[in-house]
Structure formats: structure tokens, C-alpha cells
Amino acid sequence: MTTIVLTVIGIVIFVFGLLFSIAWHELGHLSTAKLFGIRVPQYMVGFGPTLWSRKKGDTEYGFKAIPAGGYIRMIGMFPPGADGRIESRSTSPWRSMVEDARSAAFEELEEGDEERLFYTRKPWKRMIVMFAGPFMNLVLAVVIFVGVAMSFGFETQTTQVAGVQKCVISQSEKRQSCEKGDPVSPARAAGLKEGDKIVAFNGAKVSTWSDLSNHIRDTIGPATLTVVRDGKQQTLHAKLARNMVARKDSNGDVVPDKYVPAGYLGFAAQTEIKPLSFGASVGRMGDMVGNGVDSIIAMPSKIPDLWNAAFDGGQRKADSPVGVVGAARIGGEVMTLHVPAQNQLAMMLFLLAGFNLSLFLFNMLPLLPLDGGHIAGALWEALRRNLAKVFKRPDPGPFDVAKLMPVAYVVAGVFVCFTLLVLVADIVNPVKIT
């Protein structure tokens, strides 16, 4: 019963964080739109039926029933057609999409709005309005991540021994128990014990796990270990074995399911949580952004594994895409972990930071109906208008983004299908942290 209650509390906390992130995103659009004199009839958090709303000035502010997104409505998102009309109809379904989008952009047009239309603003202003939403998510992600990294920190491996392996097992075999014929691990043969702190390797001082790990990997054969045991220094002699160990990337992080031959000692390192400096926190944030970009690029390649996990009982990989439902489940799971409350808080905040970073990266894709698609349209308009000036040609006028609405519907359809696939996988075969 207690586990269920804690899980629900974690889910509720994440949902409130999600709602704040959405409201924060839309606030970026709203504030810059109003700054540039664009009329905004609605600012809504959520979709579906309206639960609560209040009108202040030109804008209706409110919450809707489904906390899966949000929006603001700006007057004149698309320019009128070539004939100046906005309600012409067509028998072509593709053309009707264009006309419907154009009509919706003007459906709440009031007297005096002619000077408050989105499409009449200069391209750089429209780019700022559309970029402001994702940028707010990026700011929130950076503030949360750097703040928690500097105040709480990260779990870091040290040079102190947490345990000694009994035998040499190739890490690619993914087994824990020794079998007949496995050689004794070099650490055990050398007399290394739990609690020893390694302070030097082959006479070179080591103060971090990264330095020690690199020395071990680069050495196959005899080596000397200087350790502190019970307050006294001792020198141990080991003969490091050649073994298949996890590959590391340029940042020193383990690459999942990739192995390389390297030196092997055979012990587990003790861990501790250490706050990072501002520079180190920003560096880790940069790594997080890079990993996020890689994940976005690799998303199509994850579809087969998602399908197998959702419908064929396949294993759900740790780096599998996770939706709102999956993230909420992780939030609930965090609250059930047997760790100090400050650890739970830090994990929940890191989850929220990761969610906001994903919102930023996803919305910056140059595809309609995403913010990045509107930014790309404004950039193209600026380019062709400036080229027209250079070559002394007539001003081509605003770029009609509405003409791309058929493509936007296709993109939206693909996103909906992918979201549904992730949703099913999150329900039947969720990513777990325990």
C-alpha cells in the first residue's frame, strides 16, 4: 500500500512539473508576441475541455483537461491568399488544408487588428516569438541541471575499493558467477582488499577514478599498486590480465554493449556523491545537450526495438525513447526508492531538466507544425526578400507558410503514430530505474 501511495505522489509531482514546463514554454511565446504588438486571444495549458479560464485584456488564460501540451493563439499566423481572401474554398483536399489553416488564422479578427497580425511582423521578430518558447525550456533545463549539479552533485567513482572480483570474467559475457577454468583475478592474487584506497599506480599518483581506470586499461602485465590500508601505505604487486571490458567514449562514459580488449585488475570502485564546480556543471550540461541531439537523430532507428518491446515482448532498452506516461512512471518509481529524500529530490529535478531539454530539441526541428518549422519559414522569407533587394527585384512579400500545411499534417501524423507506439511501450513494457 505504501509503495502505491508513494508512486502516486511521484506521478503527481511529475505532472505538476510537466504543467509548469508547458506553461513556461507558452509564456515565452506569449510575452514576446505581446512585446511586438501581436494580439493573442488565448493562452492555454493542456488540451480538450476547458477546466478554468479567465480573460484579462485581450487574452483568455486557462487550463484544459488533458495535460499533454499547451498553446497560444495568435491572430494572423498565415498571410491571406493571392486574391486577398481568407475564406475561399477548394474541392482539392490538399488545397482545403491550406485554406482551413489560413481561415483559422483570421477567424477572430477584430477591428483594429490589421496592425496586430503575426505575419505582418518582420521575419526576425517572428523568429524571436517562435524561438522564445523552446528557449524558455532550455533556460529551465540549464538552471535546474546546473543548480542541482552544484548543490547536490553526481555519484562519482573513487579510487577506494568496494569489492574484489574472485576471477576474470569477460564483461561481454554478462555473468557474475565464476565458472570452472576462470583464472583468479589479478586484484585478488595481489592481495587487494575491500576498503583499500589506491593512491598510486606504477609509481604515478592517482587521485581520481578516471586516472586510475586509464592506467589499468593501458597496462597488461606486471604493475605495482600503492594503497592506504588502515592508515598505512602498502605496495602490492599485481599482474594485470588482458580482458574484454566496456568501451568508453571521448568523455570517459561507458558505451552500452560495446567492448574492447584492455588491461584488467578486477575490483569494484567505491562511489560517493560530489557537488560539481560551475565549469564542470556547464560541461556536463553540454554533454547532456550533445546526447540529446544524438538521441533525436537516432530516434527513427529506435522504432524496431520499440515495436518489439510493445508487441513482441522484447527487452526495453535503457536508452529507449520515453513519453510523458513513461516519464511519469519513472517519477513515481523515484519516490519508492530506498534512498535519502534529497536523492529523490535530485533525481526528480534531473528528470524534469531532461524533459525540458527534450522539449527544446524536439521543438527546434525545422518541421511544421513545430516551432522550428515556423522559424525556418521566417528565415526563408528573410533570405528571399534580401536577395530581391540585392538583385533589385520586386519584394516577394511574406512567405506563405500555410502552403506547407499538407506537409505539416503528414509530419503531425508521423509524430502521432510514433507517440502512440511509445505510449503502448511505456504501458506494457516500461523503462525502469530499479
Side-chain angles (χ1 to χ4, degrees):
M1 186 66 181
T2 303
T3 300
I4 295 175
V5 172
L6 289 174
T7 300
V8 171
I9 291 174
I11 292 174
V12 170
I13 292 173
F14 177 80
V15 169
F16 274 104
L18 169 66
L19 290 174
F20 178 79
S21 301
I22 293 168
W24 185 248
H25 174 105
E26 299 303 334
L27 180 62
H29 292 312
L30 177 74
S31 58
T32 50
K34 286 183 174 290
L35 176 66
F36 295 135
I38 301 166
R39 190 164 77 84
V40 183
Q42 277 191 319
Y43 169 94
M44 289 289 169
V45 177
F47 297 115
T50 301
L51 299 178
W52 174 89
S53 70
R54 178 172 295 175
K55 190 167 184 178
K56 185 176 181 181
D58 294 328
T59 307
E60 177 191 11
Y61 301 86
F63 291 91
K64 291 183 174 286
I66 305 173
Y71 65 91
I72 67 166
R73 297 184 65 180
M74 292 183 285
I75 295 297
M77 282 290 290
F78 308 114
D83 58 0
R85 299 175 61 192
I86 61 173
E87 295 182 351
S88 60
R89 304 302 300 165
S90 170
T91 57
S92 166
W94 296 106
R95 186 63 192 165
S96 293
M97 293 181 186
V98 176
E99 292 161 358
D100 288 342
R102 203 187 315 281
S103 178
F106 288 86
E107 65 181 7
E108 297 183 67
L109 193 64
E110 297 178 356
E111 185 177 352
D113 280 347
E114 293 79 8
E115 302 300 323
R116 305 181 67 187
L117 304 175
F118 177 79
Y119 83 89
T120 62
R121 295 302 178 261
K122 292 182 178 180
W124 67 268
K125 291 184 177 180
R126 300 207 304 271
M127 282 187 278
I128 289 176
V129 171
M130 300 312 298
F131 178 70
F135 180 70
M136 295 288 272
N137 291 122
L138 178 62
V139 169
L140 188 57
V142 171
V143 169
I144 292 174
F145 186 89
V146 173
V148 176
M150 293 181 65
S151 59
F152 180 78
F154 283 91
E155 189 174 62
T156 306
Q157 289 178 297
T158 68
T159 62
Q160 190 161 359
V161 178
V164 177
Q165 303 293 337
K166 294 180 179 179
C167 60
V168 178
I169 302 175
S170 174
Q171 292 181 6
S172 61
E173 294 184 23
K174 298 181 179 179
R175 62 182 171 92
Q176 302 296 324
S177 302
C178 295
E179 296 179 354
K180 187 177 180 180
D182 289 336
V184 176
S185 73
R188 187 173 188 181
L192 196 65
K193 294 184 178 180
E194 180 181 347
D196 288 350
K197 183 176 183 179
I198 302 174
V199 294
F201 185 93
N202 278 340
K205 291 184 178 180
V206 289
S207 57
T208 67
W209 167 250
S210 177
D211 290 341
L212 177 58
S213 176
N214 290 336
H215 280 304
I216 293 172
R217 285 170 172 260
D218 293 340
T219 304
I220 297 175
T224 59
L225 307 173
T226 304
V227 303
V228 175
R229 180 183 298 171
D230 298 328
K232 299 178 181 179
Q233 273 198 8
Q234 296 185 25
T235 300
L236 304 178
H237 299 276
K239 187 176 181 180
L240 273 63
R242 179 186 176 92
N243 195 18
M244 295 299 294
V245 299
R247 179 190 293 178
K248 290 187 177 182
D249 59 22
S250 58
N251 296 318
D253 297 320
V254 171
V255 179
D257 300 322
K258 300 293 183 182
Y259 304 94
V260 294
Y264 178 79
L265 183 56
F267 75 96
Q270 192 72 260
T271 62
E272 64 180 6
I273 296 176
K274 285 185 176 182
L276 302 184
S277 66
F278 177 75
S281 299
V282 172
R284 288 289 285 267
M285 183 68 209
D287 294 339
M288 190 175 173
V289 172
N291 292 334
V293 172
D294 292 340
S295 297
I296 293 288
I297 295 172
M299 197 173 290
S301 68
K302 305 292 184 182
I303 293 176
D305 286 337
L306 273 173
W307 182 273
N308 290 335
F311 301 107
D312 296 332
Q315 182 181 359
R316 188 78 184 272
K317 295 186 177 179
D319 61 347
S320 175
V322 174
V324 173
V325 171
R329 290 187 66 155
I330 293 174
E333 197 174 345
V334 167
M335 297 302 295
T336 66
L337 296 178
H338 298 291
V339 296
Q342 63 179 10
N343 294 47
Q344 293 175 327
L345 176 61
M347 292 175 71
M348 194 69 77
L349 288 173
F350 278 135
L351 180 63
L352 187 60
F355 179 79
N356 275 272
L357 178 61
S358 297
L359 280 179
F360 167 75
L361 295 174
F362 185 71
N363 274 286
M364 289 308 296
L365 291 174
L367 300 169
L368 286 174
L370 302 175
D371 296 328
H374 290 281
I375 293 172
L379 281 170
W380 173 245
E381 178 183 325
L383 176 63
R384 69 177 194 166
R385 280 186 152 180
N386 285 324
L387 287 175
K389 286 181 180 180
V390 171
F391 293 103
K392 297 182 180 179
R393 294 176 180 175
D395 185 353
F399 174 64
D400 191 1
V401 181
K403 292 180 179 179
L404 298 179
M405 288 311 295
V407 178
Y409 281 113
V410 173
V411 172
V414 172
F415 286 156
V416 168
C417 291
F418 183 79
T419 300
L420 289 175
L421 177 59
V422 173
L423 174 63
V424 173
D426 284 342
I427 293 174
V428 304
N429 194 352
V431 172
K432 296 182 179 180
I433 58 174
T434 57

